[in-house]
């Protein structure tokens, strides 16, 4: 409605009772805001990075952690146990994401963000101090179930920015998420087992010598502590209108607010399960999330496994170097190349192109393991960078489709629903990937797809299914009026 922004601004300025609504204060701030919202972009980036870092920081050292727990009877079984630990986080998040989305819609985005970041501080630290397999599984499960901020932070980003910067806000989330999933393993690779790598600094009798996987967890927890403390100063974006308003004033205020997509409680909320534009994008998101999480688990296990099993025989530091290079390449791609490609092709076509290119890339991985020396280093770094850039292209497009499929007042619940489905499939990723990897190591002499060839074939099969579902009639895109 024409003049909607001026109407809400005038209402906020003239009605004293309206000052108690935090969402309306944010709307007023946005109405007078000019220029790029650097502060808000950095805030969203830091929160997402803090929750993304612990998710995959364990992948470079998980193989060695499981080995040190002495729970696997055979070397080939380590991958299966590693998969259970990797899945525990996502299983916990799958069980509670809708709950946290409802909490964010009812009580605000800010409380969920604060609880989520403090959860990382406590349980990521305890994971680094794990003394056995079950302690590792339980701490990862609690970390996932109590950290429910990823869905609400996407709703928060859609509300804290002016309309012209909302796409940038969503891109900031996917960028921070992608960078976190790269920097996390890099930290895990460089900082795990410090007494072995840096004996001049860390002795074997020190805390970090007795708990060789504590240092990377501690560094991530300290970063999350800073983010958690800073989150107390975040502005709340949820609209909470006081009951003390007279019926006439309440009607006028809500009428003005609806012009800025604040939402009107008198309009019945849509059944999210009947919103196929939302559900089709969530299903696609789940499929690609399963693929990405399985790939992350498999890549690290494959890189550190011995050459006799078709691996690269890399150390945790070697894996960290590869993932650090990938992270830098991903940052460059997301900041400079992806916006141009997405603007020209659109998010859906960009996702399709990324899916098509991923298939031959993954098919080449078993043959990359045949290389050695500088050739192997160059090729694996380039392949890892390409794979992560293609994955983030798909995820960013799906973020945009999901948030465009619902109104603002249902974004928390919609993103919670997306997180539940995605987390469940991501829980299957490490467990399935670890089991598949262990099975592949036991069939090195098979006549059809021997060894690791079957692993990357299955990954490509999942990618191909997701690619096919990006077309009509399955995928429906909501047309904004």
């Amino acid at each position: 409605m024409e003049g909607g922004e001026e109407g809400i601004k005038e209402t906020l300025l003239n009605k004293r009772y309206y000052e108690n609504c935090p969402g309306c204060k944010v709307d007023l701030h946005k109405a007078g805001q000019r220029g790029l919202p650097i502060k808000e972009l950095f805030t969203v980036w830091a929160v997402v990075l803090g929750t993304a870092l612990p998710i995959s920081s364990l992948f470079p050292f998980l193989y060695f952690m499981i080995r040190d727990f002495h729970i696997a009877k055979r070397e080939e079984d380590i991958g299966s146990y590693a998969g259970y630990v990797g899945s525990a986080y996502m299983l916990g998040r799958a069980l509670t994401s809708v709950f946290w989305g409802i909490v964010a819609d009812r009580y605000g985005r800010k409380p969920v963000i604060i609880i989520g970041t403090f959860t990382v501080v406590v349980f990521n630290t305890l994971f680094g101090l794990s003394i056995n397999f079950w302690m590792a599984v339980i701490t990862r499960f609690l970390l996932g179930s109590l950290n429910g901020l990823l869905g609400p932070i996407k709703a928060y980003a859609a509300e804290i920015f002016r309309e012209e910067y909302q796409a940038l806000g969503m891109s900031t989330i996917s960028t921070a998420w992608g960078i976190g999933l790269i920097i996390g393993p890099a930290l895990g690779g460089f900082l795990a087992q410090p007494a072995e790598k840096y004996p001049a600094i860390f002795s074997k009798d020190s805390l970090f010598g007795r708990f060789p996987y504590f240092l990377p967890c501690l560094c991530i927890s300290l970063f999350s502590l800073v983010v958690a403390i800073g989150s107390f100063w975040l502005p709340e974006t949820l609209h909470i209108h006081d009951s003390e308003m007279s019926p006439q004033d309440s009607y006028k205020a809500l009428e003005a607010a609806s012009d800025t997509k604040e939402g009107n409680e008198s309009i019945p909320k849509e059944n999210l399960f009947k919103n196929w534009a939302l559900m089709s994008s969530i299903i696609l998101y789940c499929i690609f999330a399963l693929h990405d999480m399985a790939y992350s688990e498999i890549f690290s296990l494959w890189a550190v496994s011995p050459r006799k099993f078709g691996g690269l025989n890399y150390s945790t530091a070697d894996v960290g170097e590869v993932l650090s290079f990938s992270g830098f390449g991903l940052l460059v791609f997301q900041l400079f190349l992806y916006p141009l490609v997405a603007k020209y092709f659109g998010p859906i076509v960009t996702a399709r192109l990324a899916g098509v290119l991923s298939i031959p890339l993954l098919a080449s991985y078993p043959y990359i393991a045949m290389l050695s020396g500088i050739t192997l280093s160059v090729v694996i770094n380039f392949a890892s960078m390409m794979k992560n850039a293609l994955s983030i292209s798909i995820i960013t497009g799906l973020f945009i489709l999901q948030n465009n499929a619902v109104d603002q007042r249902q974004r928390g619940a919609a993103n919670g629903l997306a997180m539940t489905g995605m987390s469940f499939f991501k829980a299957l990723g490490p467990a399935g990937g670890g089991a598949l990897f262990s099975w592949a190591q036991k069939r090195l002499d098979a006549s059809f797809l021997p060894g690791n060839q079957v692993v990357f074939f299955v990954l490509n099969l999942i990618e191909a299914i997701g690619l096919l579902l990006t077309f009509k009639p399955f995928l429906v895109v909501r047309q904004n009026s």
Side-chain angles (χ1 to χ4, degrees), residues 103-328:
V103 170
D105 280 344
R106 182 170 297 179
Y107 300 105
R109 323 309 190 194
K110 181 176 174 179
V112 177
I113 292 172
I114 292 173
I115 293 171
T117 49
F118 271 111
T119 295
V120 173
V121 175
V122 175
F123 291 103
N124 188 60
T125 302
L126 290 175
F127 172 72
L129 295 171
S130 295
I131 56 175
N132 56 50
F133 172 75
W134 289 110
M135 180 177 176
V137 169
I138 292 170
T139 52
R140 291 291 292 183
F141 177 81
L142 292 174
L143 176 60
S145 59
L146 297 177
N147 181 10
L149 66 78
L150 187 57
I153 196 65
K154 289 196 285 184
Y156 186 84
E159 296 157 2
I160 196 67
F161 299 114
R162 290 168 63 98
E163 187 173 352
E164 60 265 35
Y165 295 120
Q166 284 184 5
L168 181 60
M170 289 299 156
S171 180
T172 300
I173 289 177
S174 59
T175 301
W177 188 254
I179 295 297
L181 296 184
I182 301 302
I183 295 178
L187 289 173
F190 286 119
L191 300 181
Q193 302 167 320
E196 295 180 17
K197 295 174 185 169
Y198 319 109
I201 303 175
F202 302 97
S203 71
K204 291 186 177 180
D205 297 325
S206 67
L207 177 66
F208 301 110
R210 287 182 287 118
F211 297 96
Y213 312 105
F214 178 53
L215 182 58
C217 296
L218 178 63
C219 292
I220 292 170
S221 295
L222 290 176
F223 174 77
S224 294
L225 179 61
V226 174
V227 174
I229 294 172
S231 297
F232 282 100
W233 284 271
L234 288 178
E236 178 58 70
T237 60
L238 186 66
H239 286 270
I240 306 172
H241 294 154
D242 291 335
S243 58
E244 64 189 36
M245 291 188 293
S246 67
Q248 184 177 3
D249 286 340
S250 177
Y251 175 78
K252 291 179 180 178
L254 286 171
E255 187 180 45
S258 67
D259 291 338
T260 57
K261 300 181 182 179
E262 166 192 327
N264 193 322
E265 294 300 324
S266 65
I267 301 175
K269 289 186 176 181
E270 181 183 12
N271 186 333
L272 295 179
F273 290 101
K274 294 181 179 179
N275 183 343
W276 187 245
L278 173 67
M279 295 307 298
S280 61
S281 63
I282 287 178
I283 293 171
L284 262 177
Y285 186 31
C286 291
I287 292 172
F288 285 113
L290 168 65
H291 176 275
D292 288 350
M293 203 66 184
Y295 167 79
S296 297
E297 174 85 8
I298 288 168
F299 178 83
S300 296
L301 293 174
W302 171 66
V304 300
S305 63
R307 284 278 186 175
K308 64 181 180 179
F309 293 126
L312 304 182
N313 200 31
Y314 271 13
S315 67
T316 57
D318 293 329
V319 177
E321 286 181 15
V322 173
L323 297 176
S324 296
F325 182 80
S326 299
F328 176 76

Side-chain angles (χ1 to χ4, degrees), residues 416-474:
L417 182 63
M419 287 302 103
T420 296
M422 180 269 286
S423 298
F424 176 74
F425 276 80
K426 279 198 170 185
L428 296 177
L436 177 64
F437 185 79
S438 292
W439 177 65
Q441 289 189 337
K442 298 171 186 174
R443 57 186 307 278
L444 298 176
D445 299 324
S447 57
F448 179 70
L449 297 175
N452 289 325
Q453 287 187 28
V454 72
V455 174
F456 294 103
F457 172 78
V458 172
L459 285 177
N460 270 335
L461 187 62
I462 299 171
E463 185 87 11
I465 292 172
L467 178 61
L468 288 174
L469 295 182
T470 61
F471 293 91
K472 293 180 179 180
F474 183 82

Side-chain angles (χ1 to χ4, degrees), residues 364-384:
S364 70
Y365 272 48
Y367 304 100
I368 292 176
M370 299 178 182
L371 304 175
S372 61
I374 188 65
T375 305
L376 171 62
S377 179
V378 171
V379 172
I380 195 62
N381 275 281
F382 177 76
S384 178

Side-chain angles (χ1 to χ4, degrees), residues 82-99:
Y84 298 144
V85 176
S87 294
Y89 176 94
M90 292 300 168
L91 179 60
R93 196 166 73 177
L95 295 176
T96 60
S97 288
V98 169
F99 167 77

